[in-house]
Amino acid sequence: MTLEPKRASCRTAMAVYTEVSDEDLNTFIAQYALGGVLSCKGIAEGVENSNYLLVTETGPYILTLYEKRTRRDDLPFFLGLMEHLAEKGVGCPVPLHGNDGEALRELCGRPAVLVTFLNGMWPRRIDPYHCAALGEAMGTMHKAGADFAMKRPNDLSVAGWRPLFDACSARAHEVRPGLAEALERELDTLEARWPAEGTLPVGVIHADLFPDNVFFRGRTLSGLIDFYFACTDVLVYDLAICLNAWCFEPDGAFNATKARLMLSSYRKVRPLSDEELAALPLLARGSALRFLLTRLYDLLNHPPGAFVKPKNPLEYWNKLRFHQQVSGLGAYGLE
Amino acid sequence: MTLEPKRASCRTAMAVYTEVSDEDLNTFIAQYALGGVLSCKGIAEGVENSNYLLVTETGPYILTLYEKRTRRDDLPFFLGLMEHLAEKGVGCPVPLHGNDGEALRELCGRPAVLVTFLNGMWPRRIDPYHCAALGEAMGTMHKAGADFAMKRPNDLSVAGWRPLFDACSARAHEVRPGLAEALERELDTLEARWPAEGTLPVGVIHADLFPDNVFFRGRTLSGLIDFYFACTDVLVYDLAICLNAWCFEPDGAFNATKARLMLSSYRKVRPLSDEELAALPLLARGSALRFLLTRLYDLLNHPPGAFVKPKNPLEYWNKLRFHQQVSGLGAYGLE
């Protein structure tokens, strides 16, 4: 098994899974008052679903066809959340409703949604100002989600990790000798010490706020996309995910300045309790394990010749080891 | 070696090879008077180069970064041709010139060009009217190219096939038993019988007018894209390529109605001599062999885990066998 972490970081794989014919598209678009179709091109956004940049006589939109990894029953939560957040002023794509009032319909046998086009580009090189803007946007999103009525459990939180581990453990040594044993020890620790329900504030989290899901225009954050892992979970876990996704340098070093800026700008919008802060190192370990396990699973179950190149799970092994050694919040740039 | 021709036909693989950072893009775009960048997304267009749909304050454009399979020395021919054709009224992308007058510049260490955005979608299901419109557009393009001053030899014509065959012959049996022997016989025949220089009219041909390079708005052809195989060759060879690319049904049957519409609407714009018509079956065999050999080469040299799924060479084996059995132009719908 070979991995090319260096090359993977400067390349993007993408796949459009469903071909949409012009006939089908014209029938679909007739259900909206958007004028005729000028162009429709598959784009490199999201790896789970098929996304198209659709230009009509009234402007650009994003058309998403949901492929099999997104559960149809979850779609009302995701779409309702985007509408709720947008109404509260959070920059994000907004589902459009057709002439019949429905946002969710069918195209090429798949659930399909048309959403507004969000200007901006995701940052390829993370600067400290990106992290500051991200912290503020996440705090705003968490507050805006507080009165969102729907719930969705996080099936990739602590209870979901052991089944993933069991599915990979027999072959984990192919990726790194001793990996299965180390992961099992970590899993035991996290299961024993994970915050009990009711001990930390819960709400809507994005749960996948990686750089490619955060758009900027110049130095200004223009919005968040890809809410298809969003769920109801401990709020500060979203920050723990972003400590991993935004604050490590390409060489593996943790950048405490970025972490400090992210956390402090979040706290200006939504203060963090002592309990939330104290839980951060453990939640960051959990987040590292979660992405390590899903990447490991994808790598070991990667069909040869598949379109999407698997990401390197060992990147998260290094992140996990960093958080295991953290003794206090100073490591994250806090006093 | 396994192939999935059925699934391949309803899926699109694509790859963006070069990540363009917002900093690099802003520097690049400052060389044009197009306003600020609103968005830039990798798109599924062309498999050889990286293409982005770039939206600025003045509208949408296509940004192309040329990857290693496109020779830098050939770019002035391709770009000059697009400008020449557009000036003559052929619908195609037009390269934009920067403030310094240059169309070809550098981005992320690669040759890069910004071209106008062409409205329309390529047809996923070929109807006879598509073939009629294609014939007319090709005739118009051939006439418009008549006074284009630059030349570029076709390195994928008859002289280029034997080296390709030699690079694949030892492993061709993995794809089909006896394939190498059959291809060598065909190659011998084509080399012996290929029209000598000066016997048929020569000019600029597109040489890759597959459906994904021809855009329609409704039933109207809006333009041609992807001129990166264009070259100076026998004009009627372009029609031979399109007989293969447009006139076979997904089940392998040849549709003579489509062929007749394509050829007859071409002849209304640019008449075909008896010599050109008589050469058509042999040129169609040559075109079938050309795409068979490049697909075979790509399949046998496909790195495991590569982004782009190889196309099935045996599709062209069946097309080749059809043209081998053609005894007259009646097979193509002509009297």
Side-chain angles (χ1 to χ4, degrees):
Chain A
M1 182 151 307
T2 57
L3 281 171
E4 302 174 70
K6 287 286 175 203
R7 294 178 70 195
S9 70
C10 64
R11 287 170 175 227
T12 300
M14 49 171 167
V16 173
Y17 296 97
T18 305
E19 280 282 13
V20 183
S21 74
D22 40 351
E23 294 89 352
D24 289 341
L25 186 60
N26 287 332
T27 307
F28 181 85
I29 210 71
Q31 296 168 303
Y32 300 83
L34 300 174
V37 173
L38 298 182
S39 158
C40 185
K41 297 188 194 295
I43 56 168
E45 209 147 89
V47 287
E48 302 281 325
N49 298 312
S50 303
N51 286 290
Y52 303 84
L53 203 169
L54 173 71
V55 183
T56 78
E57 286 163 343
T58 54
Y61 303 89
I62 302 290
L63 169 66
T64 301
L65 269 64
Y66 298 99
E67 304 293 341
K68 61 175 190 292
R69 276 178 81 155
T70 304
R71 279 201 304 254
R72 191 181 287 247
D73 290 350
D74 285 335
L75 291 173
F77 177 89
F78 301 140
L79 301 179
L81 176 60
M82 288 190 270
E83 284 198 61
H84 179 91
L85 293 176
E87 273 167 27
K88 301 254 172 176
V90 174
C92 68
V94 192
L96 300 180
H97 293 257
N99 300 327
D100 58 359
E102 295 297 319
L104 182 59
R105 60 187 76 243
E106 194 130 323
L107 181 56
C108 301
R110 286 165 180 78
V113 162
L114 201 58
V115 302
T116 55
F117 184 84
L118 189 68
N119 282 327
M121 286 177 69
W122 62 268
R124 270 65 177 176
R125 199 189 68 212
I126 308 305
D127 280 323
Y129 72 82
H130 291 122
C131 298
L134 172 69
E136 185 186 346
M138 191 195 292
T140 305
M141 181 189 71
H142 286 174
K143 282 177 74 172
D147 58 349
F148 181 58
M150 301 175 80
K151 307 267 181 242
R152 179 179 176 267
N154 184 359
D155 31 61
L156 288 173
S157 187
V158 63
W161 300 337
R162 186 151 310 255
L164 263 177
F165 171 76
D166 290 342
C168 308
S169 57
R171 291 183 54 205
H173 66 275
E174 295 174 27
V175 176
R176 186 191 163 91
L179 186 60
E181 295 72 18
L183 291 181
E184 181 148 42
R185 277 195 303 276
E186 179 67 11
L187 195 46
D188 291 343
T189 307
L190 290 174
E191 285 173 343
R193 293 177 50 197
W194 200 251
E197 218 171 297
T199 55
L200 292 174
V202 162
V204 175
I205 68 168
H206 183 286
D208 196 37
L209 266 182
F210 279 64
D212 55 345
N213 289 331
V214 182
F215 284 10
F216 286 80
R217 281 197 63 190
R219 294 172 74 97
T220 306
L221 190 152
S222 57
L224 313 174
I225 67 162
D226 207 350
F227 286 81
Y228 303 111
F229 287 95
C231 54
T232 316
D233 202 350
V234 169
L235 290 171
V236 72
Y237 184 57
D238 233 2
L239 280 166
I241 291 170
C242 289
L243 283 176
N244 286 321
W246 293 73
C247 301
F248 285 89
E249 298 300 323
D251 67 1
F254 187 78
N255 185 322
T257 301
K258 291 180 178 175
R260 179 177 53 77
L261 285 167
M262 186 174 85
L263 294 168
S264 60
S265 58
Y266 180 94
R267 295 166 80 180
K268 284 178 198 154
V269 182
R270 180 181 169 270
L272 292 168
S273 68
D274 290 347
E275 290 74 21
E276 285 180 292
L277 285 168
L280 212 41
L282 188 83
L283 296 178
R285 286 167 64 170
S287 146
L289 184 69
R290 171 255 183 269
F291 287 101
L292 197 165
L293 287 173
T294 49
R295 287 184 175 194
L296 183 62
Y297 182 88
D298 288 345
L299 181 67
L300 295 176
N301 294 282
H302 181 65
F307 297 143
V308 179
K309 208 179 178 69
K311 290 175 180 156
N312 183 2
L314 294 181
E315 181 191 331
Y316 271 81
W317 168 248
N318 296 328
K319 292 176 179 183
L320 175 59
R321 284 169 54 85
F322 172 80
H323 297 298
Q324 284 173 338
Q325 283 151 26
V326 160
S327 59
L329 293 168
Y332 302 142
L334 302 181
E335 282 118 45
Chain B
M1 182 149 311
T2 57
L3 282 171
E4 303 174 71
K6 286 287 173 203
R7 293 177 71 194
S9 70
C10 64
R11 287 170 173 226
T12 300
M14 48 172 170
V16 173
Y17 296 97
T18 305
E19 280 282 14
V20 183
S21 75
D22 40 349
E23 294 88 350
D24 289 341
L25 185 60
N26 287 330
T27 306
F28 181 87
I29 209 71
Q31 295 168 303
Y32 300 82
L34 300 174
V37 173
L38 297 182
S39 160
C40 185
K41 298 189 193 295
I43 55 168
E45 209 149 273
V47 288
E48 301 281 325
N49 298 312
S50 304
N51 286 290
Y52 302 85
L53 202 168
L54 173 71
V55 184
T56 79
E57 286 163 344
T58 54
Y61 304 90
I62 301 291
L63 169 66
T64 301
L65 269 65
Y66 298 99
E67 303 293 342
K68 62 176 189 295
R69 277 178 80 157
T70 304
R71 279 201 305 254
R72 190 180 289 242
D73 289 350
D74 285 333
L75 291 173
F77 177 89
F78 302 139
L79 302 179
L81 176 60
M82 288 190 272
E83 285 198 61
H84 179 90
L85 294 177
E87 273 168 28
K88 300 255 173 175
V90 175
C92 68
V94 192
L96 299 180
H97 293 258
N99 301 326
D100 58 0
E102 294 298 320
L104 181 60
R105 59 188 75 243
E106 194 129 325
L107 181 56
C108 300
R110 285 163 180 79
V113 160
L114 201 57
V115 301
T116 54
F117 184 84
L118 187 68
N119 283 328
M121 286 177 69
W122 62 270
R124 269 65 177 175
R125 199 190 67 211
I126 308 305
D127 280 323
Y129 73 81
H130 292 121
C131 298
L134 172 69
E136 184 186 347
M138 191 195 291
T140 306
M141 181 189 72
H142 286 175
K143 282 177 75 172
D147 58 348
F148 181 57
M150 301 175 80
K151 307 267 179 240
R152 179 178 177 268
N154 184 1
D155 30 64
L156 288 173
S157 187
V158 63
W161 300 337
R162 178 127 349 228
L164 264 177
F165 171 76
D166 290 342
C168 308
S169 57
R171 290 183 56 207
H173 66 276
E174 294 174 30
V175 176
R176 186 190 164 92
L179 186 60
E181 295 72 17
L183 291 181
E184 182 147 40
R185 276 195 304 275
E186 178 67 13
L187 196 46
D188 291 343
T189 305
L190 290 174
E191 285 173 344
R193 294 178 49 198
W194 200 250
E197 219 172 297
T199 54
L200 292 175
V202 162
V204 175
I205 68 168
H206 183 286
D208 196 37
L209 266 183
F210 279 64
D212 55 344
N213 289 331
V214 181
F215 285 9
F216 286 80
R217 281 197 65 190
R219 294 172 75 98
T220 306
L221 190 152
S222 57
L224 313 174
I225 67 163
D226 206 348
F227 286 81
Y228 303 111
F229 287 96
C231 55
T232 316
D233 203 350
V234 169
L235 290 171
V236 72
Y237 184 57
D238 233 1
L239 279 168
I241 291 169
C242 289
L243 283 176
N244 286 321
W246 292 75
C247 301
F248 285 89
E249 298 300 320
D251 66 2
F254 187 77
N255 185 323
T257 302
K258 290 180 178 175
R260 177 177 54 78
L261 285 168
M262 188 174 85
L263 294 169
S264 60
S265 57
Y266 180 94
R267 294 166 81 178
K268 284 178 197 154
V269 182
R270 182 182 166 269
L272 292 169
S273 68
D274 290 346
E275 291 74 22
E276 286 180 292
L277 285 169
L280 213 41
L282 188 83
L283 296 177
R285 285 167 64 169
S287 147
L289 184 69
R290 171 254 184 270
F291 287 101
L292 196 164
L293 286 172
T294 49
R295 287 185 176 194
L296 183 62
Y297 183 87
D298 288 345
L299 180 68
L300 295 175
N301 294 282
H302 182 64
F307 297 143
V308 179
K309 208 180 181 67
K311 291 175 180 155
N312 183 2
L314 294 182
E315 181 190 330
Y316 272 81
W317 168 248
N318 296 328
K319 292 176 179 183
L320 175 59
R321 285 169 53 85
F322 173 80
H323 297 297
Q324 284 174 338
Q325 284 150 24
V326 160
S327 59
L329 292 169
Y332 302 143
L334 301 182
E335 284 120 44

